[in-house]
Amino acid sequence: MSYQQMAEVYDRLMQDAPYENWEAWTKRVINSYHPDTNRILDLGCGTGEITLRLAGHYQMTGVDLSEDMLAVAASKDNAKTVQWLRQDITRLDGLYDFDCVFSFCDVLNYITDEKNVEDVFIRAYDALKADGLFLFDVHSVEHIVQHLYGQTFAEVYDEISYIWFCDPGESEYSLVHDLTFFVQNNEGHHVRFDETHFQRGYSTETLKQLLNKTGFDIESITSDFSNELNETGNRLFFVCRKKEREL
Protein backbone atom coordinates (compact mmCIF):
# COMPACT_ATOMS: atom_id res chain seq x y z
CA MET A 1 0.00 0.00 0.00
CA SER A 2 1.08 3.59 -0.49
CA TYR A 3 0.77 6.08 2.37
CA GLN A 4 0.40 9.08 0.02
CA GLN A 5 0.10 12.33 2.06
CA MET A 6 0.48 10.47 5.34
CA ALA A 7 4.23 10.16 4.73
CA GLU A 8 4.56 13.88 5.41
CA VAL A 9 3.16 13.57 8.94
CA TYR A 10 3.93 9.94 9.80
CA ASP A 11 6.89 10.59 12.06
CA ARG A 12 5.00 13.21 14.04
CA LEU A 13 2.10 10.81 14.53
CA MET A 14 4.46 8.01 15.56
CA GLN A 15 6.71 10.06 17.83
CA ASP A 16 5.72 7.97 20.87
CA ALA A 17 6.14 4.60 19.15
CA PRO A 18 8.54 2.35 21.10
CA TYR A 19 11.10 2.01 18.32
CA GLU A 20 13.80 1.41 20.90
CA ASN A 21 11.95 -1.77 21.90
CA TRP A 22 12.05 -3.11 18.34
CA GLU A 23 15.74 -2.24 18.16
CA ALA A 24 16.54 -3.96 21.46
CA TRP A 25 14.39 -7.01 20.64
CA THR A 26 16.06 -7.43 17.25
CA LYS A 27 19.57 -7.23 18.67
CA ARG A 28 18.67 -9.65 21.44
CA VAL A 29 17.21 -12.20 19.03
CA ILE A 30 20.13 -11.91 16.61
CA ASN A 31 22.66 -12.36 19.42
CA SER A 32 20.79 -15.45 20.57
CA TYR A 33 20.03 -17.13 17.24
CA HIS A 34 22.46 -15.77 14.63
CA PRO A 35 25.28 -13.73 16.26
CA ASP A 36 27.35 -13.44 13.08
CA THR A 37 24.60 -11.52 11.28
CA ASN A 38 25.82 -8.70 9.04
CA ARG A 39 23.37 -8.03 6.19
CA ILE A 40 19.74 -7.30 7.10
CA LEU A 41 16.73 -6.63 4.88
CA ASP A 42 13.85 -4.56 6.31
CA LEU A 43 10.54 -5.27 4.53
CA GLY A 44 8.10 -2.37 4.79
CA CYS A 45 10.66 0.01 6.26
CA GLY A 46 8.40 3.07 6.11
CA THR A 47 10.27 6.22 7.12
CA GLY A 48 13.23 4.12 8.25
CA GLU A 49 13.11 4.63 12.00
CA ILE A 50 14.00 1.01 12.87
CA THR A 51 16.28 0.60 9.85
CA LEU A 52 18.37 3.61 10.79
CA ARG A 53 18.61 2.62 14.44
CA LEU A 54 20.21 -0.66 13.36
CA ALA A 55 22.38 0.82 10.60
CA GLY A 56 25.22 1.49 13.03
CA HIS A 57 25.43 -2.22 13.80
CA TYR A 58 24.51 -3.99 10.56
CA GLN A 59 24.54 -3.47 6.81
CA MET A 60 20.92 -2.44 6.19
CA THR A 61 18.65 -2.47 3.15
CA GLY A 62 15.18 -0.95 3.48
CA VAL A 63 12.33 -1.80 1.11
CA ASP A 64 8.98 -0.06 0.88
CA LEU A 65 6.27 0.42 -1.74
CA SER A 66 5.77 4.11 -0.95
CA GLU A 67 8.14 6.51 -2.69
CA ASP A 68 7.08 9.22 -0.24
CA MET A 69 7.98 7.10 2.79
CA LEU A 70 11.34 6.20 1.24
CA ALA A 71 12.07 9.86 0.50
CA VAL A 72 11.53 10.70 4.18
CA ALA A 73 13.74 7.77 5.21
CA ALA A 74 16.54 8.79 2.85
CA SER A 75 16.39 12.38 4.08
CA LYS A 76 17.21 11.16 7.61
CA ASP A 77 20.04 8.91 6.46
CA ASN A 78 22.80 11.50 6.86
CA ALA A 79 25.58 8.94 6.72
CA LYS A 80 24.11 7.38 3.55
CA THR A 81 24.72 3.93 4.95
CA VAL A 82 21.37 2.33 4.04
CA GLN A 83 20.28 1.07 0.65
CA TRP A 84 16.67 2.25 0.09
CA LEU A 85 14.63 0.40 -2.53
CA ARG A 86 11.09 0.79 -3.82
CA GLN A 87 9.64 -2.68 -4.28
CA ASP A 88 6.48 -4.61 -3.51
CA ILE A 89 7.41 -7.02 -0.70
CA THR A 90 5.20 -9.70 -2.27
CA ARG A 91 7.33 -9.52 -5.43
CA LEU A 92 10.90 -8.88 -4.29
CA ASP A 93 13.41 -8.92 -7.10
CA GLY A 94 17.20 -9.22 -7.05
CA LEU A 95 17.64 -9.40 -3.26
CA TYR A 96 19.66 -12.36 -1.99
CA ASP A 97 22.27 -13.49 0.55
CA PHE A 98 20.91 -11.72 3.61
CA ASP A 99 21.64 -13.05 7.09
CA CYS A 100 18.35 -11.70 8.43
CA VAL A 101 15.08 -10.44 6.98
CA PHE A 102 12.53 -8.69 9.18
CA SER A 103 9.15 -7.00 8.86
CA PHE A 104 7.94 -5.04 11.87
CA CYS A 105 5.19 -2.65 12.99
CA ASP A 106 2.42 -5.03 11.80
CA VAL A 107 3.40 -4.61 8.15
CA LEU A 108 2.14 -8.13 7.43
CA ASN A 109 -1.31 -7.16 8.68
CA TYR A 110 -1.49 -4.80 5.70
CA ILE A 111 -1.23 -7.86 3.43
CA THR A 112 -4.93 -8.67 3.33
CA ASP A 113 -4.82 -11.76 1.11
CA GLU A 114 -3.50 -15.01 2.59
CA LYS A 115 -1.85 -16.01 -0.68
CA ASN A 116 0.07 -12.73 -0.69
CA VAL A 117 1.26 -13.39 2.87
CA GLU A 118 2.63 -16.68 1.60
CA ASP A 119 4.28 -14.75 -1.25
CA VAL A 120 6.04 -12.52 1.31
CA PHE A 121 7.26 -15.60 3.19
CA ILE A 122 8.57 -17.13 -0.06
CA ARG A 123 10.39 -13.92 -1.01
CA ALA A 124 11.88 -13.64 2.48
CA TYR A 125 13.02 -17.27 2.28
CA ASP A 126 14.65 -16.70 -1.11
CA ALA A 127 16.39 -13.54 0.12
CA LEU A 128 18.06 -15.35 3.00
CA LYS A 129 21.26 -17.30 3.20
CA ALA A 130 21.02 -20.86 4.48
CA ASP A 131 20.23 -20.83 8.21
CA GLY A 132 19.23 -17.15 8.04
CA LEU A 133 16.58 -15.57 10.28
CA PHE A 134 13.17 -14.23 9.35
CA LEU A 135 11.64 -12.02 12.06
CA PHE A 136 8.23 -10.37 12.03
CA ASP A 137 5.42 -9.16 14.22
CA VAL A 138 1.64 -9.09 13.74
CA HIS A 139 -1.42 -7.94 15.63
CA SER A 140 -2.99 -10.98 17.27
CA VAL A 141 -6.56 -11.73 16.21
CA GLU A 142 -7.61 -11.35 19.85
CA HIS A 143 -6.19 -7.83 19.94
CA ILE A 144 -7.98 -6.93 16.72
CA VAL A 145 -11.35 -8.20 17.91
CA GLN A 146 -11.16 -7.12 21.54
CA HIS A 147 -9.23 -3.84 21.37
CA LEU A 148 -9.51 -2.40 17.85
CA TYR A 149 -12.95 -3.22 16.48
CA GLY A 150 -15.28 -0.26 16.93
CA GLN A 151 -12.63 1.98 18.48
CA THR A 152 -12.03 5.67 17.80
CA PHE A 153 -8.69 7.38 18.43
CA ALA A 154 -7.96 11.09 18.26
CA GLU A 155 -5.11 13.49 19.02
CA VAL A 156 -4.87 17.27 18.84
CA TYR A 157 -1.55 19.09 18.49
CA ASP A 158 -0.74 22.63 17.38
CA GLU A 159 0.38 21.61 13.90
CA ILE A 160 -1.63 18.45 13.34
CA SER A 161 -4.80 16.78 14.56
CA TYR A 162 -6.43 13.53 13.54
CA ILE A 163 -9.40 11.30 14.17
CA TRP A 164 -9.13 7.59 13.45
CA PHE A 165 -12.00 5.11 13.23
CA CYS A 166 -11.35 1.34 13.36
CA ASP A 167 -14.18 -0.84 12.07
CA PRO A 168 -14.53 -4.50 11.11
CA GLY A 169 -14.05 -5.28 7.44
CA GLU A 170 -15.94 -7.75 5.32
CA SER A 171 -13.65 -10.74 5.83
CA GLU A 172 -12.73 -12.51 9.07
CA TYR A 173 -10.39 -10.51 11.35
CA SER A 174 -10.18 -7.67 8.83
CA LEU A 175 -9.98 -4.00 9.77
CA VAL A 176 -10.84 -0.77 8.01
CA HIS A 177 -9.00 2.31 9.26
CA ASP A 178 -10.66 5.60 8.28
CA LEU A 179 -8.35 8.51 9.11
CA THR A 180 -8.96 12.23 8.84
CA PHE A 181 -6.05 14.64 9.29
CA PHE A 182 -5.90 18.40 9.76
CA VAL A 183 -2.37 19.60 9.04
CA GLN A 184 -1.14 23.17 9.39
CA ASN A 185 0.38 24.53 6.17
CA ASN A 186 2.97 27.27 5.70
CA GLU A 187 0.28 29.95 5.83
CA GLY A 188 -0.91 28.74 9.22
CA HIS A 189 -4.15 27.24 7.88
CA HIS A 190 -5.18 23.69 8.66
CA VAL A 191 -5.70 21.55 5.56
CA ARG A 192 -7.79 18.38 5.72
CA PHE A 193 -6.97 15.12 4.02
CA ASP A 194 -8.45 11.65 4.41
CA GLU A 195 -7.01 8.17 4.03
CA THR A 196 -8.43 4.67 4.30
CA HIS A 197 -6.16 1.77 5.22
CA PHE A 198 -6.98 -1.92 5.34
CA GLN A 199 -5.54 -4.61 7.59
CA ARG A 200 -6.27 -8.26 8.32
CA GLY A 201 -5.35 -10.53 11.17
CA TYR A 202 -4.21 -14.12 10.78
CA SER A 203 -4.44 -16.85 13.37
CA THR A 204 -1.24 -18.24 14.78
CA GLU A 205 -2.07 -21.62 13.25
CA THR A 206 -2.48 -20.10 9.79
CA LEU A 207 0.88 -18.34 10.04
CA LYS A 208 2.57 -21.51 11.30
CA GLN A 209 1.18 -23.51 8.38
CA LEU A 210 2.34 -20.94 5.83
CA LEU A 211 5.80 -20.71 7.38
CA ASN A 212 6.24 -24.47 7.47
CA LYS A 213 4.98 -24.78 3.90
CA THR A 214 7.54 -22.18 2.78
CA GLY A 215 10.41 -23.96 4.49
CA PHE A 216 10.93 -22.14 7.77
CA ASP A 217 11.49 -23.65 11.18
CA ILE A 218 9.79 -21.60 13.88
CA GLU A 219 12.30 -20.99 16.66
CA SER A 220 9.99 -19.01 18.95
CA ILE A 221 6.75 -17.07 19.23
CA THR A 222 6.60 -14.38 21.90
CA SER A 223 4.42 -11.36 22.55
CA ASP A 224 4.81 -7.67 23.27
CA PHE A 225 8.65 -7.59 23.22
CA SER A 226 8.90 -10.28 25.90
CA ASN A 227 11.50 -13.05 25.97
CA GLU A 228 8.98 -15.57 27.26
CA LEU A 229 7.38 -18.04 24.84
CA ASN A 230 3.78 -16.93 24.55
CA GLU A 231 1.24 -17.14 21.72
CA THR A 232 -1.20 -14.71 23.35
CA GLY A 233 -0.83 -10.96 23.62
CA ASN A 234 -1.50 -7.85 21.57
CA ARG A 235 1.52 -8.10 19.26
CA LEU A 236 3.03 -11.47 18.42
CA PHE A 237 6.71 -11.82 17.44
CA PHE A 238 7.93 -14.72 15.30
CA VAL A 239 11.52 -15.91 15.05
CA CYS A 240 11.97 -18.24 12.09
CA ARG A 241 15.00 -19.94 10.53
CA LYS A 242 15.50 -20.89 6.92
CA LYS A 243 15.93 -24.61 6.44
CA GLU A 244 16.92 -26.25 3.19
CA ARG A 245 13.94 -27.40 1.15
CA GLU A 246 13.68 -31.14 0.63
CA LEU A 247 14.19 -32.27 -2.94
Side-chain angles (χ1 to χ4, degrees), residues 89-115:
I89 65 172
T90 68
R91 303 177 184 178
L92 291 180
D93 182 47
L95 295 170
Y96 304 103
D97 296 323
F98 287 88
D99 301 299
C100 176
V101 174
F102 67 66
S103 189
F104 293 148
C105 301
D106 48 272
V107 164
L108 285 175
N109 290 119
Y110 286 96
I111 310 296
T112 57
D113 182 272
E114 186 176 311
K115 177 62 174 66

Side-chain angles (χ1 to χ4, degrees), residues 38-91:
N38 179 35
R39 299 183 69 226
I40 297 180
L41 176 62
D42 181 356
L43 301 181
C45 64
T47 62
E49 280 295 316
I50 298 173
T51 325
L52 290 166
R53 287 168 184 266
L54 294 168
H57 307 274
Y58 310 100
Q59 183 180 338
M60 300 297 300
T61 297
V63 172
D64 204 275
L65 186 59
S66 169
E67 289 184 4
D68 294 326
M69 289 292 217
L70 289 170
V72 174
S75 72
K76 296 186 289 187
D77 184 12
N78 296 324
K80 308 301 180 187
T81 56
V82 178
Q83 181 183 28
W84 306 105
L85 299 173
R86 183 181 183 272
Q87 289 196 29
D88 183 339
I89 65 172
T90 68
R91 303 177 184 178

